[in-house]
Amino acid sequence: MIADICAQVLERITPSKSEKKALYDLTVQIIGKIDRVADEIGVDVHGLLVGSSARNTWTVGEKDIDVFITFPEEISREELESLGLQIAKKVATKYEERYAEHPYIRALYGDHSVDIVPCFRVSDPSSIKSAVDRTPFHNKYLQTRIKGLEDQVRLLKQFMNGIGIYGSELRTKGFSGYLCELLVIKYGSFLGVLESASDWRIGVVIDLEDHGTLKHEDPLVIIDPVDPSRNVAAAVSLDNFCIFIDASREFIKKPSINFFFPPKIAPLTDDEIAKELQARKTDLFAIVFKTPNVVEDILYPQLYKTVKSVEELLHRNDFRVFRSDVWSGAQSVILLEMEVAELPNIKKHIGPPVESSVHSGKFKAKYARSYIKDGRYVAEIPRQYPKVKDLLLSQLQNCGLGKNVSEAIFKGYGVLKNKQIAQIGDREFRIFLRKFFQKR
Amino acid sequence: MIADICAQVLERITPSKSEKKALYDLTVQIIGKIDRVADEIGVDVHGLLVGSSARNTWTVGEKDIDVFITFPEEISREELESLGLQIAKKVATKYEERYAEHPYIRALYGDHSVDIVPCFRVSDPSSIKSAVDRTPFHNKYLQTRIKGLEDQVRLLKQFMNGIGIYGSELRTKGFSGYLCELLVIKYGSFLGVLESASDWRIGVVIDLEDHGTLKHEDPLVIIDPVDPSRNVAAAVSLDNFCIFIDASREFIKKPSINFFFPPKIAPLTDDEIAKELQARKTDLFAIVFKTPNVVEDILYPQLYKTVKSVEELLHRNDFRVFRSDVWSGAQSVILLEMEVAELPNIKKHIGPPVESSVHSGKFKAKYARSYIKDGRYVAEIPRQYPKVKDLLLSQLQNCGLGKNVSEAIFKGYGVLKNKQIAQIGDREFRIFLRKFFQKR
């Protein structure tokens, strides 16, 4: 049963021979060009294929190819950056410049997107100068060890992908490809990883080289085989860690190809929105604003920060949030499902104990009326924001929102309530909305 | 200023010479009769005037006279009870039988209501057989000490009365007359008591004879001068203790006759009820039932217990109570002011941590759908009672209500919401309702 499913999955995700050949040919060509250009300039640099394409662990879905330009350690950072770009631009024809720790080039060769990234060729991972310098060591570590396990890696990646936790970007906070490869090496097979994960507990430590030097506070700790101080799984959030444990148990109990390829989700229609609201009797609010023009690794942490700040704002004002989520397309949406949309016009302000005469005096000077309950003064005061909508319209800009989201919201935002949310027609948002309601 | 006010108050509450004479003549006559009847029967008992009328500390408002029939210690409880009633009934003409620890007689002589109560004449307060046996000792203790302080006692009692905390019955949980007399002896004057009370802290101990033997947990501890183990102020609730402290400070700061004679409160009209609800935007509920035919000392503890149980029921169902109170006339009312009257149709059921595989298995077997949040499973389940009214109509009888209230509610009750509460036309209820809304 499981074997059948895995075979079916592999059939869909394993690149064909011709795809593999095309990728191989392309990378040989790029690396050759890099070496030739370097020769012309007269610098001691080499092209190096890294990542899943270097190890034949890529899946049909993954189109990224990473080619590094390795510079000698002695060169300055400035020289690396300028020479790196110079070489990359000579190698590529269609490209755009991008920025991570260093600037790099994303080049297009037909269907293939290739990142051409300069790095330092250090002698040892402990002396790296930037995060990318570690990558060649990862490549070297895996190259021999992953042999014969490529299909198992592909299965695990696709499983992670299917359950929505593949990728270590700040949007997803999930499992990186390198992490999947290490897990397969550790447990020998896709199923071996799932069987082990079924019993994972928060704080589990996996240390392939038995050389970890630091204590990590993350839910999952996989010590980097090439860097004893680094947790490869640092990006994995508690919930994604748990989702993986849960999915592993469920798959073993009741295997299904749906884990790898979840059924397509249809956009929620206007009628369905109304029906959900009617059935749940919660009050749904959407804060909507134009998405700031920044990459996801910048955008999503700000969106997550925003939803957290807004929840705190609501709690401070005695509103209980039932659930919340964020979505981003051309517009961004902070979605808040509330237990109630309105509270009374008044609220209690609990004062000092009556026995404390100094504090009591101050309290009574401030509040013209009060009564005594449970030994303390209590004043009934007007509630500043009895309505969620008014609170959001008035106070959102005083929340911690992150730089770009804050700027976007300053330019203008709307607060939609219940059926008004159907004003957001975006198909992807409607799919997100169905998922939001399905999560129960 | 204060002297003027006190003089005005005393003018209104001090019995006139003729009233005093009438009371004196009446009690002499009753006691004489008791002694004569006792002689006829041939038992060694005596009539004894106790309470405020014995010490000239009664106020015009207080009409109760307590005459005790003191029996020798050697007599049996049964004999005391039967002989006590026999004598009392011969002394009285219009009377009714009542019950406390012993049966006693409440007799009517014109305007005067006189309680004729049998007790044991024990040699020492430590050997009393029932609570009333202590009373003659209180009388004896006060008789000489209170001389010259009678007006001060009357002022303190009227002050307590005016601020609503006079009386140690279970309805009021306030300050008894005896307690007021002890406080005046301790501090020398009405104002001395208030000045001292301004600085009281929870747990303050006042021990006139410096002979207390036990630690009491009450907010106010006044050791009984005739019983070192007893706290005379045991009945005083925390809030009444605080109300007295607060009123003492306020009166000293800004003296007014209103403390003694608060302005009359008009019944709240239908329009005013609607206006209050509109202004507050809370949801007001009244549980209404026929008042059980029991004395207040039985009824009120049950009403207080009921409101507490109902609040707990509401909290268990996620409803927040803003304020509550009880009222009782021909009907009894549990009044509940709620922040909201309705919650969503769904609620969250927080399950076990995902890492705990045994508990997780059980949870998932029970709940067909769940999701993961903060490392735990969460199931969305239907809320059994999304509406306060349905909850009260369905679950009230499963609350701890006390025997008589429970029986009354079993026979039938209604739940009124917001404007429906105007269906209760009772003038006293409407006065209570105005006080309820004024308390802010």
Side-chain angles (χ1 to χ4, degrees):
Chain A
M1 181 66 177
I2 288 182
D4 290 348
I5 289 168
C6 289
Q8 279 177 54
V9 171
L10 284 173
E11 191 150 328
R12 285 173 65 170
I13 63 171
T14 309
S16 67
K17 270 191 183 158
S18 65
E19 284 174 302
K20 284 182 188 170
K21 184 167 184 315
L23 187 138
Y24 178 77
D25 289 350
L26 175 61
T27 55
V28 165
Q29 180 201 328
I30 294 170
I31 288 167
K33 268 194 188 168
I34 289 171
D35 291 351
R36 267 201 308 283
V37 172
D39 266 1
E40 285 167 28
I41 302 178
V43 284
D44 172 25
V45 307
H46 308 293
L48 176 70
L49 180 64
V50 295
S52 59
S53 46
R55 303 186 288 269
N56 187 26
T57 54
W58 54 292
T59 65
V60 165
E62 297 182 292
K63 282 276 174 199
D64 319 336
I65 307 170
D66 293 320
V67 174
F68 275 35
I69 312 176
T70 69
F71 284 80
E73 213 171 335
E74 303 74 39
I75 209 167
S76 75
R77 191 180 182 102
E78 290 72 28
E79 270 187 293
L80 173 131
E81 291 187 358
S82 68
L83 282 170
L85 278 184
Q86 193 187 330
I87 295 167
K89 286 177 180 175
K90 284 197 176 175
V91 168
T93 43
K94 278 177 75 176
Y95 63 84
E96 56 185 41
E97 219 172 304
R98 297 205 157 205
Y99 300 87
E101 242 182 288
H102 304 308
Y104 66 97
I105 289 295
R106 173 159 293 177
L108 271 183
Y109 299 90
D111 271 359
H112 293 289
S113 163
V114 182
D115 285 348
I116 305 177
V117 180
C119 79
F120 288 105
R121 197 165 64 226
V122 296
S123 57
D124 187 277
S126 63
S127 49
I128 60 167
K129 299 183 177 182
S130 77
V132 288
D133 303 345
R134 209 186 275 112
T135 305
F137 293 97
H138 289 166
N139 202 47
K140 198 174 154 203
Y141 182 84
L142 293 175
Q143 214 130 36
T144 53
R145 291 173 175 86
I146 210 70
K147 282 268 183 296
L149 296 173
E150 291 88 347
D151 280 353
Q152 303 300 313
V153 171
R154 273 191 273 265
L155 284 169
L156 183 57
K157 284 181 175 181
Q158 188 58 38
F159 185 83
M160 297 280 192
N161 202 5
I163 62 175
I165 61 171
Y166 183 55
S168 58
E169 325 82 73
L170 296 177
R171 172 183 180 169
T172 311
K173 298 180 187 169
F175 292 69
S176 67
Y178 176 53
L179 180 44
C180 291
E181 291 175 282
L182 291 179
L183 287 172
V184 167
I185 289 171
K186 171 74 184 182
Y187 297 108
S189 68
F190 162 64
L191 204 60
V193 175
L194 266 53
E195 276 163 356
S196 166
S198 298
D199 293 325
W200 280 352
R201 300 187 76 92
I202 291 167
V204 59
V205 177
I206 295 161
D207 189 352
L208 283 89
E209 295 299 315
D210 204 12
H211 68 167
T213 52
L214 294 179
K215 187 156 165 47
H216 300 269
E217 292 300 324
D218 309 303
L220 175 63
V221 181
I222 319 263
I223 303 298
D224 194 337
V226 309
D227 184 346
S229 68
R230 179 171 177 260
N231 175 16
V232 180
V236 178
S237 71
L238 172 63
D239 283 352
N240 285 337
F241 172 72
C242 290
I243 286 169
F244 183 54
I245 295 173
D246 178 67
S248 295
R249 291 181 191 146
E250 293 295 317
F251 179 77
I252 290 166
K253 212 169 72 184
K254 204 176 167 196
S256 157
I257 198 159
N258 286 344
F259 286 89
F260 300 91
F261 301 107
K264 281 256 178 311
I265 289 173
L268 204 67
T269 65
D270 291 4
D271 277 359
E272 285 173 321
I273 292 175
K275 245 159 113 180
E276 285 285 0
L277 292 170
Q278 184 55 32
R280 300 167 75 80
K281 289 266 187 166
T282 49
D283 283 294
L284 199 63
F285 291 86
I287 303 170
V288 189
F289 53 95
K290 194 169 173 303
T291 300
N293 186 24
V294 292
V295 297
E296 289 196 339
D297 265 4
I298 303 288
L299 176 63
Y300 273 86
Q302 294 186 27
L303 293 176
Y304 295 144
K305 182 182 177 177
T306 298
V307 73
K308 192 163 171 278
S309 294
V310 172
E311 287 196 32
E312 282 162 5
L313 172 72
L314 289 161
H315 283 142
R316 274 199 307 279
N317 285 273
D318 303 326
F319 290 105
R320 293 190 288 216
V321 180
F322 190 74
R323 278 211 278 129
S324 66
D325 209 340
V326 303
W327 176 84
S328 191
Q331 292 184 304
S332 291
V333 176
I334 308 292
L335 194 68
L336 299 154
E337 188 175 22
M338 306 299 299
E339 290 201 359
V340 294
E342 277 184 52
L343 286 174
N345 286 338
I346 48 170
K347 67 175 190 171
K348 273 184 242 177
H349 179 68
I350 310 289
V354 175
E355 60 171 354
S356 154
S357 71
V358 176
H359 294 109
S360 294
K362 286 182 190 160
F363 185 83
K364 296 197 75 169
K366 188 161 173 194
Y367 298 99
R369 307 186 70 148
S370 64
Y371 61 96
I372 289 165
K373 169 88 179 163
D374 299 335
R376 305 185 85 103
Y377 290 103
V378 181
E380 207 176 274
I381 57 174
R383 182 180 289 283
Q384 204 177 357
Y385 299 105
K387 297 183 182 178
V388 167
K389 192 159 182 170
D390 293 342
L391 175 64
L392 294 177
L393 286 173
S394 167
Q395 290 298 309
L396 181 61
Q397 283 167 279
N398 299 330
C399 290
L401 307 172
K403 183 172 177 296
N404 308 98
V405 166
S406 178
E407 284 168 7
I409 281 177
F410 184 78
K411 284 183 199 145
Y413 67 101
V415 177
L416 304 177
K417 183 182 170 187
N418 291 336
K419 286 184 194 173
Q420 295 174 341
I421 289 169
Q423 289 171 21
I424 310 172
D426 189 297
R427 184 186 152 82
E428 290 302 317
F429 174 76
R430 294 301 186 92
I431 290 172
F432 158 82
L433 212 50
R434 184 182 299 277
K435 281 192 211 159
F436 182 85
F437 285 127
Q438 272 180 356
K439 194 180 195 185
R440 59 183 178 211
Chain B
M1 179 70 177
I2 289 182
D4 290 348
I5 290 167
C6 290
Q8 279 177 55
V9 172
L10 283 173
E11 191 150 327
R12 284 173 67 170
I13 63 170
T14 309
S16 67
K17 271 189 182 158
S18 64
E19 283 173 303
K20 285 182 187 171
K21 183 165 187 318
L23 189 138
Y24 178 79
D25 290 349
L26 175 60
T27 54
V28 165
Q29 178 201 333
I30 293 169
I31 288 166
K33 268 193 188 167
I34 289 170
D35 292 350
R36 269 200 307 282
V37 172
D39 267 0
E40 285 166 31
I41 302 177
V43 284
D44 173 25
V45 306
H46 309 293
L48 177 68
L49 180 64
V50 294
S52 58
S53 45
R55 303 185 288 270
N56 187 26
T57 55
W58 55 291
T59 64
V60 166
E62 297 181 293
K63 282 275 172 197
D64 320 337
I65 307 170
D66 293 320
V67 173
F68 276 34
I69 312 175
T70 68
F71 284 81
E73 214 172 337
E74 303 74 38
I75 210 167
S76 75
R77 191 179 182 100
E78 291 72 29
E79 271 186 292
L80 173 131
E81 291 185 357
S82 67
L83 281 172
L85 278 184
Q86 193 187 326
I87 295 165
K89 285 175 182 176
K90 285 199 175 172
V91 168
T93 43
K94 277 177 76 176
Y95 63 85
E96 57 185 42
E97 220 171 304
R98 298 206 156 204
Y99 300 88
E101 243 182 287
H102 306 306
Y104 67 95
I105 289 296
R106 173 159 294 178
L108 270 183
Y109 299 91
D111 271 358
H112 294 288
S113 162
V114 181
D115 285 348
I116 305 178
V117 181
C119 78
F120 288 105
R121 196 166 63 227
V122 297
S123 58
D124 187 276
S126 64
S127 51
I128 59 167
K129 299 182 175 183
S130 77
V132 288
D133 303 346
R134 210 185 275 112
T135 305
F137 292 96
H138 289 166
N139 203 46
K140 197 174 155 206
Y141 183 84
L142 293 176
Q143 215 130 36
T144 53
R145 290 175 177 83
I146 210 71
K147 281 271 183 297
L149 296 173
E150 292 88 345
D151 279 352
Q152 302 301 313
V153 171
R154 272 191 273 267
L155 285 169
L156 183 58
K157 284 182 177 183
Q158 189 58 36
F159 186 82
M160 297 281 193
N161 202 7
I163 62 175
I165 61 171
Y166 182 55
S168 59
E169 324 83 73
L170 297 176
R171 173 182 180 171
T172 311
K173 299 180 187 168
F175 292 69
S176 67
Y178 177 53
L179 181 43
C180 290
E181 292 175 281
L182 291 180
L183 287 172
V184 167
I185 289 171
K186 171 74 184 179
Y187 297 108
S189 68
F190 162 65
L191 204 59
V193 175
L194 267 52
E195 275 163 358
S196 167
S198 298
D199 293 326
W200 280 352
R201 300 187 74 93
I202 291 168
V204 61
V205 178
I206 295 160
D207 188 351
L208 284 87
E209 295 298 316
D210 204 11
H211 68 166
T213 52
L214 294 179
K215 187 159 164 45
H216 300 269
E217 293 300 324
D218 308 303
L220 175 63
V221 181
I222 318 264
I223 303 298
D224 194 338
V226 309
D227 184 345
S229 68
R230 178 171 177 263
N231 175 16
V232 180
V236 178
S237 71
L238 173 62
D239 283 351
N240 284 340
F241 172 72
C242 289
I243 286 169
F244 182 54
I245 294 173
D246 178 67
S248 295
R249 291 180 191 149
E250 293 295 317
F251 179 77
I252 290 166
K253 212 168 71 184
K254 204 177 165 192
S256 157
I257 199 158
N258 287 344
F259 287 89
F260 300 91
F261 301 107
K264 281 256 179 309
I265 290 175
L268 205 66
T269 65
D270 291 6
D271 276 359
E272 284 173 322
I273 292 175
K275 244 158 114 180
E276 284 284 1
L277 292 170
Q278 185 55 30
R280 299 168 76 78
K281 289 266 187 167
T282 49
D283 284 293
L284 198 64
F285 291 87
I287 303 170
V288 189
F289 53 94
K290 194 170 172 302
T291 300
N293 186 23
V294 292
V295 297
E296 288 196 340
D297 265 5
I298 303 289
L299 176 63
Y300 273 85
Q302 293 187 28
L303 293 176
Y304 296 145
K305 182 182 177 177
T306 298
V307 73
K308 192 161 170 278
S309 293
V310 173
E311 287 196 34
E312 282 163 6
L313 172 72
L314 289 161
H315 282 142
R316 276 199 304 281
N317 285 273
D318 303 326
F319 290 105
R320 292 190 288 216
V321 180
F322 190 75
R323 276 210 279 131
S324 66
D325 209 339
V326 303
W327 176 83
S328 191
Q331 292 184 304
S332 291
V333 176
I334 309 291
L335 194 68
L336 300 154
E337 187 175 23
M338 306 299 300
E339 290 202 358
V340 295
E342 278 183 53
L343 287 174
N345 286 338
I346 48 171
K347 65 174 191 173
K348 273 185 242 177
H349 179 68
I350 309 289
V354 174
E355 61 171 354
S356 154
S357 70
V358 176
H359 294 110
S360 294
K362 286 183 191 161
F363 185 83
K364 296 195 75 168
K366 189 162 172 194
Y367 298 99
R369 307 186 71 151
S370 64
Y371 61 96
I372 290 165
K373 170 85 178 166
D374 298 336
R376 306 185 84 104
Y377 289 105
V378 181
E380 206 177 275
I381 58 174
R383 181 180 290 282
Q384 205 177 354
Y385 299 105
K387 296 183 184 180
V388 167
K389 190 158 184 172
D390 293 342
L391 175 64
L392 294 177
L393 287 173
S394 167
Q395 290 298 309
L396 181 62
Q397 283 166 280
N398 299 330
C399 290
L401 306 173
K403 183 172 177 296
N404 307 98
V405 167
S406 178
E407 285 168 6
I409 280 178
F410 184 79
K411 285 184 198 143
Y413 68 100
V415 177
L416 304 178
K417 183 183 170 185
N418 292 336
K419 286 184 194 173
Q420 295 174 341
I421 288 169
Q423 289 170 22
I424 310 173
D426 189 297
R427 183 186 152 81
E428 290 302 317
F429 174 75
R430 294 302 186 91
I431 290 172
F432 158 82
L433 211 51
R434 185 182 299 276
K435 281 193 211 159
F436 182 84
F437 285 127
Q438 272 181 355
K439 194 181 194 184
R440 61 186 177 208

